[in-house]
Amino acid sequence: MEVFRRPIKTSHHVVIIIVICSLVVRLSEPKLTGVEESEDKKSGSLSFKTPTLDDEDAHSLHMPRDLKCDGCRVVAYQLQTKFSEAHKKRPSLKVLPESQIYDITESVCESKFDKYGIKEVDGRKRLSGPGLETADIPGIMQGGGRWPNRLRETCSMYMGEIGEEEIYEAYRQEKDFEKYLCRGQGLLGECSKKTSHKTDEL
């Protein structure tokens, strides 16, 4: 038995829209660090290098000055994530009990931070991991070493200087918790301070 199929007619308007969309996507794609394209734009290569660490990066017990903003953002992301998870598990509670607030902040400040490390991005050393845009940028991330301890120290410093309950209250009241913790005044302004990157001085 012979089956006849009707040809599918495609509107010229649909074809034109598809072509325009594909061009817009190609034009809007950011150029990745370490990508070298050939002259005909049809081929290319990727090249990454391990971050070069100086004495401060490798041996200091404290977070290097140029990475304090990233460190603050990591802590803010982890605290916000844990507070949000706790509220989802107990939706009837508008405010978490004090004991749970302390448990959450303690668990964040004592966590392994094993998904974080340092990566070279656009010629600068940056922290990379969950909650940071650098996690989506191709490159070699160097984890372990002193980085987990530095992030734990950063977290503990905020708890000691501000207080667990005050930080939780800021999480509840502020629309942008990261902005509150990292882009304010004084201690809360690590991402507002101007830093002189070593790579800029060379």
Side-chain angles (χ1 to χ4, degrees), residues 19-20 65 85 90 96 103-104 117 123-124 127 136 150 167 196 198:
V19 171
I20 290 174
R65 182 183 60 177
E85 288 175 354
R90 305 178 72 178
L96 295 176
D103 287 343
I104 290 172
R124 291 178 175 175
L127 286 178
D136 298 322
R150 288 166 177 164
I167 285 178
S196 57
K198 302 177 183 69

PDB file of all heavy atoms in Angstrom, residues 19-20 65 85 90 96 103-104 117 123-124 127 136 150 167 196 198:
ATOM      1  N   VAL A  19      17.113  32.590  10.573  1.00  0.00           N
ATOM      2  CA  VAL A  19      18.440  33.042  10.142  1.00  0.00           C
ATOM      3  C   VAL A  19      18.885  34.245  10.966  1.00  0.00           C
ATOM      4  O   VAL A  19      20.021  34.316  11.438  1.00  0.00           O
ATOM      5  CB  VAL A  19      18.429  33.403   8.636  1.00  0.00           C
ATOM      6  CG1 VAL A  19      19.736  34.080   8.241  1.00  0.00           C
ATOM      7  CG2 VAL A  19      18.210  32.163   7.797  1.00  0.00           C
ATOM      8  N   ILE A  20      17.962  35.205  11.183  1.00  0.00           N
ATOM      9  CA  ILE A  20      18.298  36.399  11.963  1.00  0.00           C
ATOM     10  C   ILE A  20      18.658  36.029  13.398  1.00  0.00           C
ATOM     11  O   ILE A  20      19.630  36.528  13.956  1.00  0.00           O
ATOM     12  CB  ILE A  20      17.113  37.395  11.947  1.00  0.00           C
ATOM     13  CG1 ILE A  20      16.953  37.999  10.545  1.00  0.00           C
ATOM     14  CG2 ILE A  20      17.342  38.517  12.968  1.00  0.00           C
ATOM     15  CD1 ILE A  20      15.722  38.869  10.392  1.00  0.00           C
ATOM     16  N   ARG A  65      44.582  40.312  49.394  1.00  0.00           N
ATOM     17  CA  ARG A  65      43.758  41.510  49.276  1.00  0.00           C
ATOM     18  C   ARG A  65      42.932  41.521  47.984  1.00  0.00           C
ATOM     19  O   ARG A  65      41.747  41.871  48.007  1.00  0.00           O
ATOM     20  CB  ARG A  65      44.651  42.756  49.325  1.00  0.00           C
ATOM     21  CG  ARG A  65      43.880  44.064  49.268  1.00  0.00           C
ATOM     22  CD  ARG A  65      44.820  45.235  49.241  1.00  0.00           C
ATOM     23  NE  ARG A  65      45.699  45.170  48.077  1.00  0.00           N
ATOM     24  CZ  ARG A  65      46.592  46.107  47.773  1.00  0.00           C
ATOM     25  NH1 ARG A  65      46.744  47.147  48.564  1.00  0.00           N
ATOM     26  NH2 ARG A  65      47.341  45.989  46.700  1.00  0.00           N
ATOM     27  N   GLU A  85      17.431  27.161  51.794  1.00  0.00           N
ATOM     28  CA  GLU A  85      17.094  25.739  51.906  1.00  0.00           C
ATOM     29  C   GLU A  85      16.345  25.462  53.211  1.00  0.00           C
ATOM     30  O   GLU A  85      15.384  24.685  53.236  1.00  0.00           O
ATOM     31  CB  GLU A  85      18.365  24.895  51.835  1.00  0.00           C
ATOM     32  CG  GLU A  85      18.998  24.835  50.448  1.00  0.00           C
ATOM     33  CD  GLU A  85      20.319  24.087  50.441  1.00  0.00           C
ATOM     34  OE1 GLU A  85      20.799  23.703  51.546  1.00  0.00           O
ATOM     35  OE2 GLU A  85      20.885  23.894  49.344  1.00  0.00           O
ATOM     36  N   ARG A  90      10.943  24.354  55.976  1.00  0.00           N
ATOM     37  CA  ARG A  90       9.978  24.724  57.026  1.00  0.00           C
ATOM     38  C   ARG A  90       9.229  25.984  56.593  1.00  0.00           C
ATOM     39  O   ARG A  90       9.405  27.069  57.163  1.00  0.00           O
ATOM     40  CB  ARG A  90      10.707  24.953  58.348  1.00  0.00           C
ATOM     41  CG  ARG A  90      11.565  23.762  58.770  1.00  0.00           C
ATOM     42  CD  ARG A  90      12.325  24.019  60.059  1.00  0.00           C
ATOM     43  NE  ARG A  90      11.432  24.022  61.213  1.00  0.00           N
ATOM     44  CZ  ARG A  90      11.843  24.192  62.470  1.00  0.00           C
ATOM     45  NH1 ARG A  90      13.125  24.372  62.733  1.00  0.00           N
ATOM     46  NH2 ARG A  90      10.978  24.198  63.471  1.00  0.00           N
ATOM     47  N   LEU A  96      13.540  31.726  61.276  1.00  0.00           N
ATOM     48  CA  LEU A  96      14.164  30.508  61.779  1.00  0.00           C
ATOM     49  C   LEU A  96      14.506  30.676  63.254  1.00  0.00           C
ATOM     50  O   LEU A  96      14.842  31.782  63.696  1.00  0.00           O
ATOM     51  CB  LEU A  96      15.445  30.203  60.994  1.00  0.00           C
ATOM     52  CG  LEU A  96      15.297  29.866  59.511  1.00  0.00           C
ATOM     53  CD1 LEU A  96      16.674  29.693  58.869  1.00  0.00           C
ATOM     54  CD2 LEU A  96      14.458  28.605  59.308  1.00  0.00           C
ATOM     55  N   ASP A 103      23.356  26.953  63.831  1.00  0.00           N
ATOM     56  CA  ASP A 103      23.768  25.702  63.180  1.00  0.00           C
ATOM     57  C   ASP A 103      24.147  25.939  61.717  1.00  0.00           C
ATOM     58  O   ASP A 103      25.138  25.388  61.216  1.00  0.00           O
ATOM     59  CB  ASP A 103      22.639  24.668  63.254  1.00  0.00           C
ATOM     60  CG  ASP A 103      22.465  24.095  64.648  1.00  0.00           C
ATOM     61  OD1 ASP A 103      23.397  24.245  65.477  1.00  0.00           O
ATOM     62  OD2 ASP A 103      21.394  23.501  64.921  1.00  0.00           O
ATOM     63  N   ILE A 104      23.348  26.756  61.036  1.00  0.00           N
ATOM     64  CA  ILE A 104      23.596  27.025  59.614  1.00  0.00           C
ATOM     65  C   ILE A 104      24.890  27.805  59.429  1.00  0.00           C
ATOM     66  O   ILE A 104      25.736  27.450  58.598  1.00  0.00           O
ATOM     67  CB  ILE A 104      22.405  27.791  58.995  1.00  0.00           C
ATOM     68  CG1 ILE A 104      21.191  26.874  58.890  1.00  0.00           C
ATOM     69  CG2 ILE A 104      22.783  28.333  57.605  1.00  0.00           C
ATOM     70  CD1 ILE A 104      19.912  27.586  58.483  1.00  0.00           C
ATOM     71  N   GLY A 117      38.509  27.275  44.127  1.00  0.00           N
ATOM     72  CA  GLY A 117      39.943  27.354  43.881  1.00  0.00           C
ATOM     73  C   GLY A 117      40.250  28.639  43.145  1.00  0.00           C
ATOM     74  O   GLY A 117      39.391  29.508  42.992  1.00  0.00           O
ATOM     75  N   GLY A 123      43.917  37.461  32.572  1.00  0.00           N
ATOM     76  CA  GLY A 123      45.204  37.879  33.106  1.00  0.00           C
ATOM     77  C   GLY A 123      45.214  38.172  34.588  1.00  0.00           C
ATOM     78  O   GLY A 123      46.230  38.609  35.132  1.00  0.00           O
ATOM     79  N   ARG A 124      44.083  37.934  35.269  1.00  0.00           N
ATOM     80  CA  ARG A 124      44.013  38.184  36.700  1.00  0.00           C
ATOM     81  C   ARG A 124      43.646  36.909  37.442  1.00  0.00           C
ATOM     82  O   ARG A 124      42.889  36.093  36.938  1.00  0.00           O
ATOM     83  CB  ARG A 124      42.971  39.260  37.023  1.00  0.00           C
ATOM     84  CG  ARG A 124      43.364  40.650  36.544  1.00  0.00           C
ATOM     85  CD  ARG A 124      42.266  41.637  36.844  1.00  0.00           C
ATOM     86  NE  ARG A 124      42.640  43.002  36.501  1.00  0.00           N
ATOM     87  CZ  ARG A 124      41.837  44.033  36.583  1.00  0.00           C
ATOM     88  NH1 ARG A 124      40.590  43.872  37.006  1.00  0.00           N
ATOM     89  NH2 ARG A 124      42.244  45.247  36.252  1.00  0.00           N
ATOM     90  N   LEU A 127      39.000  33.855  42.324  1.00  0.00           N
ATOM     91  CA  LEU A 127      38.422  32.646  42.898  1.00  0.00           C
ATOM     92  C   LEU A 127      37.353  32.134  41.941  1.00  0.00           C
ATOM     93  O   LEU A 127      36.704  32.916  41.238  1.00  0.00           O
ATOM     94  CB  LEU A 127      37.801  32.928  44.265  1.00  0.00           C
ATOM     95  CG  LEU A 127      38.773  33.146  45.427  1.00  0.00           C
ATOM     96  CD1 LEU A 127      38.004  33.455  46.704  1.00  0.00           C
ATOM     97  CD2 LEU A 127      39.676  31.945  45.633  1.00  0.00           C
ATOM     98  N   ASP A 136      31.980  29.599  35.165  1.00  0.00           N
ATOM     99  CA  ASP A 136      31.542  29.274  33.805  1.00  0.00           C
ATOM    100  C   ASP A 136      32.567  29.651  32.748  1.00  0.00           C
ATOM    101  O   ASP A 136      32.342  29.438  31.564  1.00  0.00           O
ATOM    102  CB  ASP A 136      30.219  29.990  33.503  1.00  0.00           C
ATOM    103  CG  ASP A 136      29.106  29.551  34.444  1.00  0.00           C
ATOM    104  OD1 ASP A 136      29.066  28.350  34.775  1.00  0.00           O
ATOM    105  OD2 ASP A 136      28.291  30.401  34.849  1.00  0.00           O
ATOM    106  N   ARG A 150      41.241  29.793  54.058  1.00  0.00           N
ATOM    107  CA  ARG A 150      41.048  31.237  53.905  1.00  0.00           C
ATOM    108  C   ARG A 150      39.560  31.582  53.805  1.00  0.00           C
ATOM    109  O   ARG A 150      39.109  32.594  54.339  1.00  0.00           O
ATOM    110  CB  ARG A 150      41.789  31.727  52.659  1.00  0.00           C
ATOM    111  CG  ARG A 150      43.306  31.733  52.838  1.00  0.00           C
ATOM    112  CD  ARG A 150      44.008  31.894  51.521  1.00  0.00           C
ATOM    113  NE  ARG A 150      45.450  31.971  51.690  1.00  0.00           N
ATOM    114  CZ  ARG A 150      46.325  31.816  50.707  1.00  0.00           C
ATOM    115  NH1 ARG A 150      45.886  31.569  49.479  1.00  0.00           N
ATOM    116  NH2 ARG A 150      47.616  31.910  50.922  1.00  0.00           N
ATOM    117  N   ILE A 167      23.389  38.859  60.661  1.00  0.00           N
ATOM    118  CA  ILE A 167      23.568  38.445  59.270  1.00  0.00           C
ATOM    119  C   ILE A 167      22.303  37.772  58.752  1.00  0.00           C
ATOM    120  O   ILE A 167      21.865  38.014  57.612  1.00  0.00           O
ATOM    121  CB  ILE A 167      24.792  37.509  59.140  1.00  0.00           C
ATOM    122  CG1 ILE A 167      26.075  38.343  59.233  1.00  0.00           C
ATOM    123  CG2 ILE A 167      24.767  36.725  57.833  1.00  0.00           C
ATOM    124  CD1 ILE A 167      27.347  37.551  59.177  1.00  0.00           C
ATOM    125  N   SER A 196      44.660  47.279  43.584  1.00  0.00           N
ATOM    126  CA  SER A 196      45.639  47.346  42.501  1.00  0.00           C
ATOM    127  C   SER A 196      46.118  45.947  42.198  1.00  0.00           C
ATOM    128  O   SER A 196      46.898  45.372  42.948  1.00  0.00           O
ATOM    129  CB  SER A 196      46.822  48.233  42.927  1.00  0.00           C
ATOM    130  OG  SER A 196      47.402  47.742  44.114  1.00  0.00           O
ATOM    131  N   LYS A 198      48.176  42.971  40.768  1.00  0.00           N
ATOM    132  CA  LYS A 198      49.593  42.845  40.449  1.00  0.00           C
ATOM    133  C   LYS A 198      49.837  42.812  38.959  1.00  0.00           C
ATOM    134  O   LYS A 198      50.838  43.310  38.456  1.00  0.00           O
ATOM    135  CB  LYS A 198      50.181  41.598  41.130  1.00  0.00           C
ATOM    136  CG  LYS A 198      50.028  41.595  42.640  1.00  0.00           C
ATOM    137  CD  LYS A 198      50.565  40.310  43.218  1.00  0.00           C
ATOM    138  CE  LYS A 198      50.359  40.267  44.715  1.00  0.00           C
ATOM    139  NZ  LYS A 198      48.947  40.140  45.079  1.00  0.00           N
TER     140      LYS A 198
END
